[in-house]
Amino acid sequence: EDTPGPMARIMKSALLNYGESRETIRSAIQSAAIVEIPTLERRIGTIAALARVAPLLGFLGTLIAAFQALYSFESFNGDSGVLSRLLAEALITSASGLAISVMAMLAYHFLSGRVRALVHDFEWVGHDIHEFLSMQSDTELSKFEDAE
């Protein structure tokens, strides 16, 4: 009860069904895991979408800055400093989009790996607690049958 987290909630669901049949315990563990996994995956899709969209936004900024440079080309009067500034702005937007995309992709892969590791742990611990509770339940049942 006092321990927060998805693993504790899965264990709690198994322990609350102690003494029940093997299938009931297995079903309780699976139900708890099915509730916990979407919670872990909730924001990962948003990060992936950001990683996909960021380069496009950077390219859009590049196009806008390039159009501004071409539109203003007549008014430069040979001043290459203004043209350089606008072209630098275009490159900065591309670089920013790519940098955001790279960071978002790294975050996405890191968090996806963490979720996969947690799901693996859920399966491992769920199996162990299922076997333990089922073994305890079978042992108590055999003691009860021997007493009769």
Side-chain angles (χ1 to χ4, degrees), residues 42-134:
R42 183 178 53 213
R43 303 283 186 246
I44 292 178
T46 304
I47 294 172
L50 178 64
R52 282 187 227 112
V53 169
L56 297 174
L57 292 175
F59 182 62
L60 178 64
T62 300
L63 288 176
I64 290 171
F67 280 128
Q68 285 176 343
L70 289 174
Y71 183 73
S72 304
F73 193 66
E74 289 181 7
S75 65
F76 290 160
N77 294 330
D79 187 6
S80 63
V82 176
L83 180 62
S84 298
R85 186 180 52 81
L86 289 173
L87 291 177
E89 182 180 318
L91 293 175
I92 288 171
T93 59
S94 289
S96 298
L98 289 174
I100 291 169
S101 179
V102 167
M103 289 185 280
M105 285 301 282
L106 289 173
Y108 171 77
H109 285 292
F110 172 76
L111 292 174
S112 293
R114 289 291 301 141
V115 168
R116 277 193 308 275
L118 284 171
V119 169
H120 180 265
D121 290 347
F122 292 168
E123 291 170 353
W124 186 266
V125 169
H127 174 74
D128 285 352
I129 192 71
H130 176 259
E131 290 299 315
F132 178 75
L133 294 178
S134 298

Side-chain angles (χ1 to χ4, degrees), residues 9-29:
R9 289 188 285 273
I10 291 172
M11 293 289 289
K12 178 182 174 184
S13 70
L15 293 172
L16 289 175
N17 288 284
Y18 176 70
E20 300 290 331
S21 69
R22 291 177 67 93
E23 281 305 310
T24 303
I25 295 170
R26 180 189 315 266
S27 177
I29 293 169

